[in-house]
Amino acid sequence: MRIDILTLFPEMFDSPLSASILKRAQDDGIVDIVLTNIRDFAADSYRKVDDKPYGGGPGMVMMPGPVFDCVEHVRELSLEKGRVILLTPQGRTFTQQKAGRLSKEKRLILIAGRYEGFDERIRIGLGAEQISIGDYVLNGGELAAMVIIDAVVRLLPGALGDEDSSKDDSFSQGLLEYPQYTRPEVFRGMKVPDILLSGDHKKIAQWRQQQALERTQKIRPDLLKDNKE
Ligand code: 6GU
């Protein structure tokens, strides 16, 4: 997979992309992540990429010109056209299901907005989908882009080592994950449940399924309702 990130702050991505699974996935050629600075496509010598909203109101809006030019530039870097995604609180909320779908794409072009948002013609003209990562406001789409990249890349074949697995992750079966324990057997008076030491794999699987269900009922009952996309 190739992921292009279009942003005014490429330096924000340096450390998340250079550690752990995201680093290894790039080193192993599982994903190619390319950063491009939208400001490099500003038309004037002040490198202006935002302007006041027509109709008045606070803040600044991302201008269409630099974003279009930036997308057209990155499109020329690879034959795969790619799916354009705008990161904005106006988008549909990102979910594990969405991560799974995006992980099947050959190329993603993620555009992180700053200021009050994007000129609407960016969404219309690029046929872009809008994604939000939750009901709160961030200073820009950069952290949201990182969240999406992290969630998508770990689903790519080979991204997780043999000992890791994404199939038991919370949400992947529509439930929160069951409780996990490791050594020591007793910690500050708290004991590991006997069942996990029993060696009875069938009973352990049943216990985990039951725990996952109880947890989900208690903490995230919304996940059990039939309200998925
Ligand atoms: Cl994608 N962008 C911004 N600025 N805030 C957000 C978001 C995105 N998702 C949730 N909050």
Side-chain angles (χ1 to χ4, degrees):
M1 173 185 265
R2 174 180 169 124
I3 303 177
D4 287 273
I5 308 166
L6 280 49
T7 170
L8 293 169
F9 299 97
E11 68 279 7
M12 284 181 71
F13 293 83
D14 292 345
S15 90
L17 295 182
S18 56
S20 186
I21 288 168
L22 291 181
K23 175 176 178 4
R24 195 175 63 198
Q26 291 173 93
D27 291 345
D28 293 352
I30 291 166
V31 65
D32 190 14
I33 303 178
V34 180
L35 286 154
T36 305
N37 194 334
I38 298 168
R39 200 174 292 283
D40 292 342
F41 298 86
D44 67 346
S45 56
Y46 298 104
R47 311 235 296 158
K48 190 176 171 66
V49 292
D50 61 311
D51 210 334
K52 292 173 294 205
Y54 278 118
M60 299 289 269
V61 177
M62 301 262 294
M63 298 161 68
V67 175
F68 267 72
D69 289 350
C70 190
V71 169
E72 278 158 14
H73 165 80
V74 301
R75 280 232 159 106
E76 281 174 13
L77 303 178
S78 161
L79 290 173
E80 203 61 52
K81 189 157 187 265
R83 183 156 160 181
V84 180
I85 295 170
L86 298 179
L87 285 318
T88 155
Q90 273 71 53
R92 282 223 174 79
T93 312
F94 188 62
T95 60
Q96 188 63 32
Q97 186 179 38
K98 187 76 193 176
R101 290 196 189 141
L102 294 180
S103 74
K104 307 283 195 292
E105 299 280 336
K106 289 216 168 63
R107 185 182 191 191
L108 301 176
I109 299 177
L110 304 179
I111 309 180
R114 285 261 144 182
Y115 314 111
E116 298 306 304
F118 297 99
D119 184 301
E120 188 67 7
R121 292 164 295 185
I122 294 171
R123 180 185 68 76
I124 298 167
L126 294 172
E129 172 180 1
Q130 305 185 99
I131 298 182
S132 160
I133 61 162
D135 295 340
Y136 39 79
V137 178
L138 303 171
N139 292 313
E142 284 78 10
L143 289 168
M146 282 181 236
V147 165
I148 290 170
I149 290 167
D150 196 280
V152 167
V153 169
R154 70 196 301 289
L155 298 178
L156 298 178
L160 301 183
D162 284 345
E163 75 281 17
D164 307 313
S165 169
S166 58
K167 71 180 190 303
D168 282 351
D169 284 352
S170 288
F171 308 113
S172 57
Q173 318 282 348
L175 296 177
L176 301 182
E177 205 189 333
Y178 49 78
Q180 297 274 26
Y181 292 86
T182 186
R183 286 191 284 191
E185 219 175 288
V186 182
F187 177 73
R188 301 203 178 181
M190 295 175 281
K191 201 178 168 312
V192 174
D194 286 332
I195 183 97
L196 297 178
L197 310 172
S198 69
D200 185 336
H201 299 296
K202 201 167 159 223
K203 282 238 170 70
I204 290 170
Q206 282 169 353
W207 181 84
R208 285 178 164 168
Q209 176 68 19
Q210 183 58 27
Q211 289 288 315
L213 201 58
E214 278 175 26
R215 247 184 194 199
T216 308
Q217 231 141 26
K218 185 150 187 248
I219 296 165
R220 293 292 309 277
D222 56 299
L223 293 177
L224 297 172
K225 300 205 185 90
D226 198 19
N227 59 359
K228 306 199 183 79
E229 351 171 356

